[in-house]
């Protein structure tokens, strides 16, 4: 009985460690600016929206939000389409040197993203894509891991169903759209959610490839805000931070089991 | 499902065979064409933005270029010679190794402990597991910003927690002794839930019979942990080890927001150096050299992983 009590205390302690910083963010974002700089700190805010209007005055957060949304939606759509089409081809179609080509796709996983920064910046600059959505989106839409996950999943589907579709005279694209994808919904959602989270959180690439306020994304905007406002504006900065976190936190709460499913699939079966 | 009766073709004459051969060839060509069409966009992007950068880096690393001059100057292996003998680079490498080592050890130990906690029959464990995992999917820049405020020596949460014990809070991010440990704390807070989740999935997949048999034979909880569970979890530990090393080597957003490689060079890791050389000092040759060095290190790590995983699959 005593052991159980200790276990519960530890469990609550763990919850506090992980929730504490998030509560600190939330409460600060809604505190009166003066309340933030009182000591000892107030644990409960006198609710106000003031920090948000201050944040909006300090930086074009609506524009950052729009940019982040555009690159997340477009980037995710293009990457997932790439993954699905490539995976379908590798799972269902014949082609000479198919195996080598598959290794060429998977091999991209061996290339660390951070190592590609400088050459990709130069490539994008050559293409005239600095400060453009193309420059922000296109370099990231190649897909190795998502292709791998989708293909492995396609291979587990019963061949009778696709064969039947072929006998019924359905072409490959029709089979993919009408038969294979509907049977792959959970894996598809997993890939979409994981990709969207990555796109939204992407930091170093948007930092490098944009230099005008109107093309910044939320995470980069946050860095600029923090550097400019410094210690003077923790309320403003926390309001901006909440704006970056809230959408992903919401998606996480809704699609939690798909995120967890995809991550453990990569670790335990991959 | 429709059942189709294929017409019986008992004795096809030569002409028919030739015709159907033609048809087969046409169908195959169409299949090849479709394959190429479906795979080409992905392969093109991968070639341009994943493979070409390695070749480009290898070339740039042999040059001196400020990214303004029309073309790079060829300098041979000078960048490598200079980098490998530079005490600054040695320090950077050491900081990267310490940073990575602390995070790997912390992730594995705390992750495993959390997994055991979440595996106990406690009410609310599922919710706490979710809470612990949530930071993993949050923006690193945003998480770093929260922690920059927590570490604020004037009004941060850390001061509120430390002061009641009569201790003076350090100025974490501006103190060269505390900046790196501070980053490690943030990184662990953000990512330890991932290790816990993977370990938990592993724990739940373990065969129960062995553990139960050992329990009946009177083995203590500690013995069962050390001699049964830990060895069975070895492949998962190995997976986490490799992925954490690869991830930590490339850690950037938390460092950029919290310390910018400083104070001085106290948190200048290899990943920060690449950014600093390339995009702040505009020294393409040296940034490319550092990139190639990182690529080689991580390629070795990944290859070892592939080898070990392969062996594991074989004796299964």
């Amino acid at each position: 009985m005593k052991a159980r009590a200790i276990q519960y205390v530890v469990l609550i302690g763990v919850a506090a460690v992980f929730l504490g910083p998030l509560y600190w963010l939330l409460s600060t974002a809604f505190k009166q600016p003066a309340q933030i700089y009182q000591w000892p700190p107030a644990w409960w805010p006198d609710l106000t929206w003031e920090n948000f209007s201050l944040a909006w005055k300090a930086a074009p957060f609506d524009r950052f939000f729009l940019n982040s949304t555009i690159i997340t939606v477009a980037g995710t759509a293009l990457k997932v389409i790439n993954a699905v089409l490539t995976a379908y081809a590798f799972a269902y179609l014949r082609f000479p040197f198919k195996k080598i080509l598959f290794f060429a796709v998977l091999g991209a996983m061996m290339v660390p993203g951070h190592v590609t920064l400088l050459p990709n910046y130069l490539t994008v600059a050559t293409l005239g894509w600095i400060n453009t959505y193309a420059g922000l989106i296109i370099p990231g839409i190649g897909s190795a891991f998502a292709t791998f996950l989708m293909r492995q999943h396609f291979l587990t589907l019963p061949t009778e169903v696709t064969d039947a579709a072929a006998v019924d005279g359905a072409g490959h694209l029709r089979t993919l759209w009408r038969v294979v994808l509907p049977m792959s919904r959970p894996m598809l959602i997993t890939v979409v959610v994981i990709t969207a989270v990555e796109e939204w959180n992407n930091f170093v690439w948007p930092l490098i490839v944009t230099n005008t306020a109107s093309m910044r994304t939320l995470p980069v905007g946050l860095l600029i805000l923090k550097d400019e406002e410094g210690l003077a504006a923790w309320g403003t900065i926390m309001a901006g931070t909440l704006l970056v976190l809230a959408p992903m936190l919401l998606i996480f709460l809704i699609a939690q089991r798909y995120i967890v499913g995809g991550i453990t699939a990569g670790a335990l079966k991959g | 499902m429709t059942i189709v009766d294929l017409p019986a073709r008992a004795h096809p004459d030569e002409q028919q065979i030739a015709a159907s051969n033609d048809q087969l060839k046409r169908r195959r060509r169409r299949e090849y064409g479709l394959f190429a069409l479906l795979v080409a966009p992905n392969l093109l992007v991968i070639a341009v933005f994943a493979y070409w950068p390695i070749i480009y880096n290898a070339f740039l690393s042999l040059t001196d270029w400020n990214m303004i001059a029309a073309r790079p100057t060829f300098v041979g292996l000078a960048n490598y010679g200079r980098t490998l003998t530079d005490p600054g680079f040695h320090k950077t490498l050491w900081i990267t190794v310490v940073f990575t080592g602390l995070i790997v050890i912390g992730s594995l130990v705390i992750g495993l402990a959390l997994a055991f906690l979440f595996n106990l029959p406690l009410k609310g464990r599922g919710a706490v597991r979710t809470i612990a995992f949530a930071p993993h999917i949050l923006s690193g820049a945003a998480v770093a910003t929260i922690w920059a405020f927590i570490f604020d020596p004037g009004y941060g949460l850390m001061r509120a927690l430390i002061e009641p014990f009569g201790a003076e809070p350090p100025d974490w991010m501006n103190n060269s002794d505390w900046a790196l440990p501070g980053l490690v704390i943030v990184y662990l807070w953000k990512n330890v839930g991932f290790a816990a989740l993977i370990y938990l999935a592993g724990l739940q997949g373990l065969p129960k019979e062995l553990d139960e048999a050992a329990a009946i034979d009177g083995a203590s909880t500690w013995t069962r942990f050390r001699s049964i569970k830990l060895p069975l979890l070895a492949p998962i530990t190995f997976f986490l080890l490799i992925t954490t090393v690869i991830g930590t080597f490339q850690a950037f957003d938390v460092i950029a927001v919290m310390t910018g490689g400083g104070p001085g060079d106290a948190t200048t890791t290899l990943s920060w150096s690449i950014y600093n050389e390339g995009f702040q000092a505009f020294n393409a040759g040296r940034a490319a050299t550092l990139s190639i060095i990182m690529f080689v290190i991580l390629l070795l790590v990944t290859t070892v992983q592939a080898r070990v995983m392969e062996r594991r699959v074989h004796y299964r």
Side-chain angles (χ1 to χ4, degrees):
Chain A
M1 211 49 232
K2 209 175 142 204
R4 185 98 319 161
I6 293 171
Q7 287 167 359
Y8 272 111
V9 170
V10 174
L11 192 69
I12 292 167
V14 168
V17 166
F18 287 98
L19 274 182
L22 294 178
Y23 175 73
W24 187 250
L25 161 78
L26 196 69
S27 64
T28 308
F30 287 104
K31 272 181 194 171
Q32 309 269 8
Q35 205 187 3
I36 295 168
Y37 299 102
Q38 75 181 49
W39 199 263
W43 296 100
W44 190 252
D46 301 330
L47 292 175
T48 171
W49 290 97
E50 202 177 336
N51 293 315
F52 290 90
S53 58
L54 285 173
W56 243 273
K57 262 176 229 148
F61 266 96
D62 42 0
R63 182 71 202 206
F64 297 162
F65 202 94
L66 179 74
N67 290 340
S68 277
T69 307
I70 289 173
I71 66 161
T72 300
V73 171
T76 304
L78 291 171
K79 186 167 188 162
V80 173
I81 290 171
N82 250 346
V84 165
L85 296 182
T86 312
Y88 183 86
F90 279 113
Y92 292 108
L93 298 178
R94 283 170 305 180
F95 196 77
F97 314 115
K98 194 164 104 169
K99 217 169 183 176
I100 295 173
L101 284 174
F102 192 57
F103 280 120
V105 172
L106 291 196
M109 281 196 280
M110 305 274 258
V111 180
H114 200 84
V115 166
T116 66
L117 290 177
L118 178 73
N120 280 350
Y121 171 81
L122 295 171
T123 302
V124 162
T126 308
L127 292 167
W129 284 356
I130 300 295
N131 283 321
T132 67
Y133 289 121
L136 282 161
I137 295 167
I138 305 285
I141 65 169
S143 149
F145 183 59
T147 298
F148 177 71
L149 276 185
M150 287 310 301
R151 174 181 172 269
Q152 295 308 92
H153 178 73
F154 288 165
L155 292 179
T156 66
L157 299 178
T159 48
E160 289 86 355
V161 189
T162 42
D163 288 347
V167 170
D168 282 349
H172 280 293
L173 292 180
R174 201 179 165 82
T175 307
L176 169 61
W177 185 247
R178 285 287 165 86
V179 179
V180 173
L181 278 186
M183 287 199 298
S184 312
R185 191 166 293 161
M187 182 52 85
L188 195 63
I189 297 176
T190 298
V191 170
V192 167
V193 172
I194 291 179
T195 308
V197 168
E198 273 172 16
E199 294 277 346
W200 183 270
N201 292 341
N202 199 354
F203 176 76
V204 65
W205 184 247
L207 172 70
I208 288 171
V209 90
T210 66
N211 54 35
T212 59
S214 66
M215 287 311 289
R216 293 299 199 188
T217 59
L218 274 175
V220 179
L222 207 55
L223 175 73
I224 310 295
L225 184 69
K226 182 178 161 285
D227 284 351
E228 278 174 7
E229 305 285 309
L231 295 181
W234 278 123
T236 315
I237 296 168
M238 289 299 115
T241 307
L242 189 58
L243 217 59
V244 184
L245 290 191
M248 285 307 110
L249 218 43
L250 206 65
I251 287 182
F252 176 66
L253 290 177
I254 296 168
Q256 195 222 118
R257 89 192 154 96
Y258 293 106
I259 297 179
V260 170
I263 282 170
T264 41
L268 303 180
K269 291 173 209 142
Chain B
M1 205 184 296
T2 356
I3 295 168
V4 179
D5 274 316
L6 293 171
R9 267 181 267 159
H11 300 289
D13 62 20
E14 300 271 312
Q15 237 178 352
Q16 266 178 321
I17 289 176
S20 72
N21 262 350
D22 254 18
Q23 216 179 352
L24 265 176
K25 264 188 204 153
R26 244 200 327 264
R27 270 189 54 192
R28 177 160 293 188
R29 261 206 306 273
R30 274 183 52 190
E31 196 173 329
Y32 287 178
L34 184 64
F35 181 96
L37 200 68
L38 296 184
V39 170
N42 200 3
L43 261 179
L44 181 71
V45 177
I46 286 174
V48 174
F49 293 107
Y51 287 125
W52 170 245
I54 300 303
I55 301 168
Y56 203 177
N57 261 331
F59 161 71
L60 285 172
S61 73
L62 304 176
T63 71
D64 190 16
W65 189 33
N66 60 9
M67 292 160 80
I68 297 165
R71 57 187 67 240
T73 323
F74 186 78
V75 294
L77 292 170
N79 284 323
Y80 289 95
R82 208 175 128 193
T83 302
L84 294 174
T85 55
D86 173 17
F89 172 72
H90 297 160
K91 188 166 180 203
T92 296
L93 215 51
W94 174 242
I95 289 170
T96 311
V97 168
V98 171
F99 182 61
T100 307
L102 288 174
I103 287 168
V104 166
I105 294 167
S107 299
L108 295 183
V109 173
I110 302 170
L112 188 60
L114 287 178
F116 271 97
L117 179 70
F118 297 150
N119 206 25
L120 293 171
L122 300 172
K123 273 188 193 132
R125 61 178 177 167
V128 180
R129 189 201 67 199
T130 306
I131 290 167
F133 179 71
H136 180 68
I137 59 110
L138 297 179
S139 147
V143 165
T145 313
I146 301 174
W147 279 88
F149 183 39
I150 290 173
F151 283 147
D152 182 288
Y155 302 96
L157 185 60
M158 220 41 139
R159 182 183 162 196
L161 294 177
I162 290 176
E163 234 175 30
F165 298 99
E168 183 90 353
D171 186 358
W172 291 83
M173 292 300 120
N174 295 312
N175 180 321
S176 45
D177 291 333
W178 286 93
L180 195 71
L183 288 180
V184 171
I185 291 174
V186 179
Y187 222 79
L188 285 177
W189 182 82
K190 183 165 166 23
N191 289 310
V192 86
F194 171 74
L197 187 80
I198 304 291
Y199 265 134
L200 182 62
L203 272 181
Q204 289 172 345
L206 291 186
K208 289 206 171 59
E209 300 80 15
L210 265 175
D211 193 49
E212 279 164 5
I216 290 167
D217 287 349
S220 68
T221 312
W222 173 248
T223 311
R224 268 152 45 211
F225 167 71
R226 233 201 43 180
S227 318
I228 298 174
K229 288 180 182 150
L230 213 51
L232 286 173
L233 289 172
I236 292 179
T237 303
F238 183 70
F239 167 83
L240 283 171
L241 177 83
I242 301 289
T243 49
T244 311
V245 168
I246 294 174
T248 314
F249 250 77
Q250 300 182 74
F252 181 79
D253 42 16
V254 174
I255 299 174
V257 171
M258 298 192 76
T259 64
D265 56 4
T267 60
T268 297
T269 60
L270 190 50
S271 67
W272 178 264
S273 296
I274 292 175
Y275 172 78
N276 193 40
E277 283 291 348
F279 298 97
Q280 295 192 315
F282 301 108
N283 201 333
R286 297 204 66 190
T289 306
L290 293 170
S291 297
I292 290 291
I293 291 172
M294 183 191 263
F295 176 62
V296 170
I297 294 174
L298 292 183
L299 192 66
L300 288 177
V301 172
T302 319
T303 313
V304 169
Q305 179 197 26
R307 282 281 160 78
V308 173
M309 289 294 172
E310 212 170 293
R311 203 155 3 133
R312 205 184 114 216
V313 173
H314 276 303
Y315 74 68
R316 244 187 180 175

